[in-house]
Amino acid sequence: MVSNLVNAVILLGAPGAGKGTQTSLLCNEYGFFRVSTGDIIRVEVKLGSFLGKTVAHFQDKGQLVPDDLVSELVFSRLRALESDSFVFDGFPRTLAQAIKLDEYLQASSLSSSVVLVDVPFESIRTRILGRLYCPGCQSIFSSLASAAYEGMPCPSCGVQLAVRPDDNIEVLKDRYDIYNREIGPILEYYGSRVRSVDGTQPSEMVYDSLVRLLELKSFQC
Ligand code: AMP
């Protein structure tokens, strides 16, 4: 049983800020359920579902999938789950999504904590252009910052590691511009609910800061 004080951890931050890594760590240790919209969308695209075909070109170009589509993806997933503890990675990405998420959480009587993982663009650029991902389980391998690892089997599921199609400098610039445009209104909306961690630290230190900030308790079975 999860005994955390908070139901929903909402991680904000630029692409490549390390939200995915922190989400995995929180989910593994504290039993949260991962809600990563980038992963959900990539899986739909890979499956070739109707939705996947509708949204594929947004993701390829680094543009945002329309709010209604992405919100429906998230909320239908949440409704299907029995868990009431989530980490949101990559959602919300617009003010409209933030408002919809608050409405959902309030209607479900779920508490939330909002944390900004703060990393400047130069670090983002180095990280994103150096990372690989697993098309099977969606894991990110940022420490394998070498093309030499491309095509090696994923340590978790064995699928060959690859460069994410949207991890190139042109698409990254667009994704970062969109992030900069959207994050201001989101931060303004959340106001004093937002707390920050320094995302330039090594990931284990970022994680320690997060756990302290969220006042998490041990995950007990
Ligand atoms: P990520 O893996 O979080 O970097 O997301 C990859 C891509 O998925 C983004 O560039 C968008 O095209 C799409 N995406 C992910 N999350 C959202 C969201 N909350 N709203 C709209 N589009 C999203």
Side-chain angles (χ1 to χ4, degrees):
M1 191 179 68
V2 179
S3 58
N4 300 317
L5 294 175
V6 61
N7 295 114
V9 178
I10 299 170
L11 293 183
L12 304 175
K19 302 184 298 297
T21 302
Q22 298 304 321
T23 301
S24 298
L25 294 169
L26 288 171
C27 292
N28 289 344
E29 190 167 356
Y30 292 99
F32 289 101
F33 190 89
R34 175 192 198 102
V35 183
S36 162
T37 40
D39 288 357
I40 296 172
I41 293 167
R42 267 186 294 282
V43 168
E44 292 292 331
V45 171
K46 196 172 154 205
L47 289 173
S49 67
F50 177 74
L51 189 89
K53 287 182 182 144
T54 313
V55 301
H57 68 283
F58 292 105
Q59 197 169 50
D60 290 348
K61 292 186 191 147
Q63 293 170 356
L64 293 183
V65 170
D67 288 331
D68 286 349
L69 282 179
V70 79
S71 301
E72 187 44 39
L73 265 179
V74 169
F75 299 132
S76 58
R77 181 155 296 217
L78 294 184
R79 282 191 289 269
L81 292 171
E82 297 201 346
S83 173
D84 63 358
S85 293
F86 312 100
V87 180
F88 291 92
D89 160 21
F91 187 86
R93 259 178 157 101
T94 65
L95 175 60
Q97 292 176 16
I99 293 171
K100 277 177 196 269
L101 179 57
D102 260 357
E103 285 168 359
Y104 181 92
L105 294 174
Q106 278 160 21
S108 313
S109 303
L110 298 173
S111 61
S112 60
S113 284
V114 185
V115 183
L116 174 68
V117 184
D118 207 5
V119 180
F121 181 69
E122 271 320 303
S123 310
I124 297 278
R125 184 188 144 101
T126 311
R127 286 182 188 184
I128 286 209
L129 299 184
R131 73 185 186 179
L132 295 173
Y133 96 119
C134 170
C137 66
Q138 306 294 319
S139 300
I140 293 282
F141 295 91
S142 45
S143 54
L144 304 179
S146 159
Y149 288 93
E150 201 175 335
M152 299 285 277
C154 169
S156 306
C157 73
V159 171
Q160 286 186 336
L161 301 182
V163 175
R164 239 174 72 172
D166 55 347
D167 278 354
N168 59 69
I169 189 64
E170 290 78 23
V171 176
L172 171 60
K173 279 186 184 147
D174 289 344
R175 284 158 70 196
Y176 195 73
D177 284 349
I178 292 171
Y179 169 76
N180 273 333
R181 188 185 71 212
E182 302 292 340
I183 193 66
I186 295 176
L187 293 178
E188 202 174 320
Y189 171 75
Y190 283 129
S192 59
R193 290 167 64 191
V194 182
R195 289 170 294 169
S196 296
V197 292
D198 174 3
T200 61
Q201 305 171 91
S203 57
E204 57 279 12
M205 287 174 70
V206 179
Y207 183 60
D208 284 348
S209 308
L210 255 180
V211 168
R212 268 199 310 276
L213 193 139
L214 295 168
E215 300 179 64
L216 295 177
K217 297 179 184 171
S218 297
F219 175 41
Q220 297 157 357
C221 294

